[in-house]
Amino acid sequence: MPLQVPDNYQEGTSTIHGLDPRVKVAAVVMFVLSVNLIPEGDWFMFLLFWIGVWGLIRVAGVGVFEVLKRSVVALPFVLAAIVIPFTLPGRPLFALPLVGWEVTEPGLIRFLTILLRFGMAVQMAVLLTRVTRFPDIIWALRGLRLPPSLVTVIGLMYRYFFVIGDEALRMRRARSARSASLPGGRRPSALWQTKVVGLMVGSLFLRALGRSERIHAAMLSRGYDGSPRLLSSFRMGFVDWLVLGFFGMLVLTLLVWRLG
Amino acid sequence: MSCLLTITDLSYAYPDGHSALKEISLHIGPGEKVGLVGSNGAGKSTLLLHLNGILQGSGEIEVDGNLVVPENLGSIRSAVGLVFQDPDDQLFSPTVFEDVAFGPLYMGLPEEEVRRRVAAALESVGMEGRSRRVPHRMSLGEKKLVSIATVLAMKPRMLALDEPTAALDARSRRRLTRVLQQLEETIVVATHDLSLVSEVLERTVVLDDGRIVADGPTRSILSDSQFLRDHGLV
Ligand SMILES: Nc1ncnc2c1ncn2[C@@H]1O[C@H](COP(=O)(O)OP(=O)(O)O)[C@@H](O)[C@H]1O
Ligand SMILES: [Mg+2]
């Protein structure tokens, strides 16, 4: 397979691998909610949660380093928060050397809080995809009553990501194969090159359109009527209810505590 | 002989005006294995798409006593198992299991029966134990076999396969040929692979430019080399 977008899933036999995917998806969602309910700057609480995350990673038999490495892709999103330490009004702590921007105390606290919340949420998401096959996650989304058409789209995106990616790759190869240049010859102008790329994107779109029509015909051929139908691949066991209950209690407790 | 498939005077033009099928009439009895041969653009795929009402031209098509009209499409589509040429079109689900289960599930079968059929269909194409696989990780040969399983699981009266051996290497091709030989269903295979036709299908219908130009025992049609040349088959 020329397109190397490795699936994150790693085979395993841990309790976490064996959980109903609906429970796993719901647990991650509830965890993210909980993390966002931790008060700003409550470092002890954050520490507890962080220990919890790494504990889960250990239980799943996945390396902490592995998860951190895969979480790095989310780092650019944190950059959006980088201005907060300088802009939030409050007691100035210190000024950056050279530029002289002042970091305020509430600003720094909020920034670190965002960093921690985000970091833990991403690690949990990475863990989820590490211990759950993507098709099972899609199945779980359906089971959790997300809008059926949305889930169908996600499923088709997963299925055809590679197919269309391969098509794009083949087109690029075919173009490179014909982009010979003679020694001393003029390179085509930037405008012309832009046009070629535009045409390629257009033709990729047309191919995808043709493909979607054929897929639709193939679905109709097997009786598809637009309604979702689902086989129950998993059954909720005792441990599933236990895990679900735990994360449910976690959110509830934090909610009551914050509101009370 | 009672007929499983009866086509009377079928003509079809694509929306762009291109006339792809011209006055096709064809009868196929239960248990027959028919090769629908013709060069590229002869109209083979277009004809297959009419068998279960994906395309609707003028003229009449009857499958197992039911006219192919919008009211009957539900039963028609469980009677005709159509396999598309490109397995990436045929296999649209995240996993092999879900794909093979798709047809039976939409036929409204109970869950236990669906599982039984998936297992049986995968076994009859030699793909047992593959149900957790994801299509983008499988070879073309495997995908072609699973594609056939997706319609076998529906237990159709008739299978309609579009170019099942196209682009396969020798080993996958042999494997697929064996699978087709062992199937007991009525089969229509659109192809220009004449050796597949001679190995598996006893009757041949030759299509050229949207018209049927010959219909008879495979042996006699394939032995007329001048005829084959005239219609671009060799
Ligand atoms: N979607 C379409 N729109 C217009 N013309 C088409 C379309 N699909 C096929 N055709 C034309 O119809 C004719 C028959 O095509 P097809 O049934 O795919 O042939 P075959 O399967 O025998 O190679 C060809 O001339 C082809 O160009
Ligand atoms: Mg064709």
Side-chain angles (χ1 to χ4, degrees):
Chain A
M1 199 182 58
L3 197 70
Q4 292 295 342
V5 182
D7 277 338
N8 210 0
Y9 179 73
Q10 180 188 311
E11 200 73 51
T13 52
S14 74
T15 319
I16 299 185
H17 280 83
L19 287 175
D20 187 313
R22 286 171 297 189
V23 170
K24 288 191 260 192
V25 173
V28 169
V29 172
M30 290 191 285
F31 177 84
V32 173
L33 284 178
S34 308
V35 164
N36 278 287
L37 285 170
I38 303 177
E40 231 170 68
D42 190 339
W43 310 127
F44 178 67
M45 199 73 146
F46 277 113
L47 181 69
L48 277 185
F49 269 73
W50 196 285
I51 290 172
V53 173
W54 281 13
L56 285 178
I57 293 174
R58 279 304 295 269
V59 171
V62 179
V64 164
F65 180 68
E66 194 63 35
V67 171
L68 284 178
K69 209 174 68 187
R70 281 166 197 275
S71 305
V72 169
V73 290
L75 218 51
F77 294 98
V78 184
L79 290 181
I82 202 84
V83 292
I84 291 176
F86 309 107
T87 51
L88 212 64
R91 190 167 68 88
L93 286 180
F94 56 88
L96 279 194
L98 297 177
V99 280
W101 295 344
E102 281 195 332
V103 173
T104 67
E105 188 180 12
L108 191 63
I109 290 176
R110 179 165 302 172
F111 179 68
L112 288 177
T113 300
I114 290 175
L115 211 62
L116 286 170
R117 283 180 180 154
F118 191 74
M120 287 198 281
V122 170
Q123 286 187 70
M124 282 295 268
V126 169
L127 179 62
L128 174 69
T129 59
R130 200 81 176 133
V131 298
T132 320
R133 286 168 204 277
F134 201 76
D136 290 344
I137 295 181
I138 296 169
W139 180 87
L141 295 180
R142 237 185 254 284
L144 291 171
R145 302 281 185 284
L146 249 71
S149 44
L150 182 68
V151 183
T152 304
V153 168
I154 295 175
L156 288 173
M157 268 168 57
Y158 171 70
R159 170 68 184 87
Y160 288 101
F161 180 82
F162 299 92
V163 176
I164 292 178
D166 274 358
E167 261 164 28
L169 203 73
R170 278 201 303 273
M171 277 170 62
R172 223 180 58 202
R173 288 222 181 101
R175 187 194 57 167
S176 323
R178 278 177 294 161
S179 320
S181 73
L182 291 173
R186 241 163 36 94
R187 282 179 55 77
S189 72
L191 179 66
W192 186 81
Q193 286 186 22
T194 314
K195 257 191 205 158
V196 170
V197 170
L199 284 175
M200 275 172 59
V201 170
S203 109
L204 197 63
F205 175 74
L206 282 184
R207 284 196 209 192
L209 202 65
R211 167 135 357 244
S212 72
E213 266 166 22
R214 294 195 304 275
I215 294 167
H216 187 62
M219 293 172 83
L220 291 178
S221 294
R222 284 192 270 153
Y224 183 66
D225 55 12
S227 72
R229 307 228 176 148
L230 189 63
L231 279 175
S232 54
S233 315
F234 293 86
R235 211 152 271 149
M236 294 282 289
F238 176 68
V239 185
D240 292 311
W241 287 113
L242 207 65
V243 172
L244 202 59
F246 173 78
F247 281 95
M249 286 305 292
L250 192 64
V251 182
L252 267 181
T253 313
L254 280 164
L255 204 59
V256 169
W257 179 48
R258 287 303 299 276
L259 293 177
Chain B
M1 190 177 62
S2 73
C3 276
L4 184 58
L5 171 72
T6 313
I7 302 178
T8 326
D9 261 340
L10 173 67
S11 297
Y12 178 77
Y14 276 102
D16 66 359
H18 181 89
S19 159
L21 297 176
K22 298 159 188 165
E23 292 146 29
I24 302 275
S25 289
L26 183 65
H27 301 260
I28 293 178
E32 274 197 281
K33 291 185 168 15
V34 181
L36 191 61
V37 305
S39 51
N40 287 333
K44 307 181 292 292
S45 302
T46 308
L47 182 54
L48 292 192
L49 287 173
H50 279 81
L51 299 186
N52 69 356
I54 296 289
L55 295 179
Q56 294 187 340
S58 65
E60 242 175 39
I61 303 181
E62 229 182 274
V63 178
D64 205 12
N66 287 321
L67 273 181
V68 180
V69 287
E71 305 86 83
N72 290 342
L73 284 186
S75 58
I76 295 287
R77 283 175 183 167
S78 56
V80 180
L82 181 58
V83 179
F84 287 66
Q85 171 172 353
D86 185 348
D88 282 333
D89 297 334
Q90 180 76 18
L91 307 176
F92 44 73
S93 310
T95 66
V96 167
F97 175 84
E98 285 165 278
D99 222 298
V100 182
F102 191 93
L105 211 51
Y106 275 91
M107 288 166 73
L109 296 171
E111 195 164 321
E112 276 315 299
E113 175 65 11
V114 172
R115 289 178 193 285
R116 252 198 305 279
R117 286 201 180 192
V118 172
L122 284 175
E123 199 187 326
S124 59
V125 297
M127 288 281 112
E128 57 271 32
R130 304 288 210 292
S131 58
R132 296 274 274 170
R133 298 281 299 276
V134 291
H136 64 257
R137 292 283 174 74
M138 300 195 307
S139 74
L140 181 66
E142 290 174 314
K143 286 194 273 193
K144 286 271 195 182
L145 289 168
V146 171
S147 297
I148 295 176
T150 61
V151 299
L152 281 181
M154 299 170 75
K155 295 205 177 151
R157 297 295 317 270
M158 186 173 120
L159 293 184
L161 313 177
D162 200 353
E163 311 266 10
T165 56
L168 287 188
D169 62 30
R171 178 177 303 160
S172 317
R173 196 185 157 287
R174 243 192 334 272
R175 196 163 169 194
L176 195 125
T177 307
R178 242 191 331 270
V179 166
L180 293 185
Q181 278 165 339
Q182 278 159 6
L183 291 180
E184 277 151 19
E185 281 83 355
T186 310
I187 308 183
V188 179
V189 181
T191 185
H192 49 236
D193 176 353
L194 294 187
S195 59
L196 172 74
V197 176
S198 69
E199 282 168 65
V200 183
L201 309 160
E202 61 255 11
R203 177 177 162 196
T204 297
V205 174
V206 182
L207 218 55
D208 192 357
D209 195 20
R211 271 180 218 286
I212 293 183
V213 291
D215 181 354
T218 297
R219 198 149 357 109
S220 67
I221 287 183
L222 291 195
S223 61
D224 188 345
S225 55
Q226 184 58 45
F227 175 82
L228 294 180
R229 233 189 323 276
D230 287 347
H231 296 286
L233 290 167
V234 287

